[in-house]
């Protein structure tokens, strides 16, 4: 089906649709693949940054690939660069994405953001997109692991915070990318 967002405010609806389909088809060997048919402009224009955000959230909600409706929507080389950045960010976590399970149910108290998560063996990959980039975002994530947790920005490898226990509460203003 078509999943392309119309704007960032519609991202949560798109994320929910992909996650719902992934829950229906299951995980692991023998499960059907979900390859969303995306758009950068056919259903309404989105920015290259929104294209990046959409891809991150598609994979963190069970997509195993992606396809675009029409290449005529790529009116700017920036779209290709942002797609490349999304793939470069996700590739180190390929096993977690392919073999992991949806962990978005562990996300609560979302404020001004869309949050998606996948988990495998106590390791989680969490994607966060601010709805209003100049305002603070916040969320709480509860994984199935205990002990010390380190929150690292995947794109840069920078340490964000370290917490003890199974719950990560995060509040900050994220830099616009």
């Amino acid at each position: 089906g078509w999943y392309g967002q119309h704007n960032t405010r519609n991202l949560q609806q798109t994320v929910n649709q992909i996650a719902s389909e992934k829950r229906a088809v299951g995980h692991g060997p023998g499960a059907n693949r979900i390859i969303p048919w995306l758009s950068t402009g056919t259903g309404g224009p989105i920015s290259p940054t929104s294209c990046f955000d959409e891809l991150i959230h598609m994979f963190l909600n069970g997509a195993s690939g992606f396809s675009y409706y029409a290449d005529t929507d790529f009116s700017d080389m920036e779209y290709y660069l942002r797609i490349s950045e999304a793939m470069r960010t996700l590739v180190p976590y390929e096993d977690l994405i392919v073999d992991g399970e949806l962990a978005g149910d562990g996300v609560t108290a979302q404020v001004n953001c869309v949050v998606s998560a996948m988990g495998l063996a106590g390791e989680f990959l969490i994607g966060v997109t601010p709805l209003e980039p100049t305002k603070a975002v916040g969320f709480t994530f509860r994984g199935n692991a205990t002990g010390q947790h380190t929150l690292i920005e995947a794109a840069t490898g920078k340490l964000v915070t370290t917490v003890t226990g199974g719950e990560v509460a995060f509040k900050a203003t994220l830099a616009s990318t």
Side-chain angles (χ1 to χ4, degrees):
W2 174 77
Y3 302 102
Q5 62 186 30
H6 295 283
N7 55 49
T8 304
R9 293 217 177 269
N10 194 29
L11 182 58
Q12 186 67 60
Q13 179 183 352
T14 304
V15 162
N16 292 344
Q17 184 177 0
I18 291 288
S20 174
E21 289 190 21
K22 187 59 180 176
R23 283 186 193 94
V25 300
H27 292 279
N32 288 337
R33 294 176 169 258
I34 295 178
I35 301 178
W37 186 11
L38 306 172
S39 169
T40 61
T42 305
I46 66 169
S47 70
T49 296
S50 293
C51 179
F52 172 91
D53 294 337
E54 183 177 56
L55 285 172
I56 296 293
H57 288 284
M58 293 302 95
F59 281 100
L60 293 182
N61 281 283
S64 52
F66 63 95
S67 177
Y68 280 95
Y69 176 69
D71 63 355
T72 58
D73 294 338
F74 291 94
S75 56
D76 187 334
M77 186 56 90
E78 187 70 20
Y79 287 101
Y80 295 102
L81 295 174
R82 299 303 283 180
I83 291 169
S84 173
E85 288 173 20
M87 295 301 94
R88 190 171 33 255
T89 300
L90 293 173
V91 162
Y93 304 98
E94 178 183 3
D95 289 341
L96 188 148
I97 292 168
V98 172
D99 298 330
E101 294 188 14
L102 298 177
D105 292 341
V107 177
T108 58
Q110 289 176 242
V111 176
N112 185 41
C113 60
V114 175
V115 181
S116 299
M118 291 285 287
L120 178 66
E123 182 177 355
F124 300 93
L125 185 58
I126 304 170
V128 181
T129 298
L131 295 175
E132 295 289 333
T134 59
K135 295 181 180 177
V137 302
F139 68 91
T140 301
F141 178 78
R142 179 129 186 98
N144 60 1
T146 58
Q148 185 168 329
H149 299 288
T150 305
L151 190 60
I152 298 171
E153 183 182 345
T156 64
K158 291 181 183 178
L159 174 69
V160 176
T161 189
T162 302
V163 296
T164 302
E167 187 169 279
V168 176
F170 181 80
K171 291 185 177 153
T173 301
L174 302 177
S176 181
T177 55

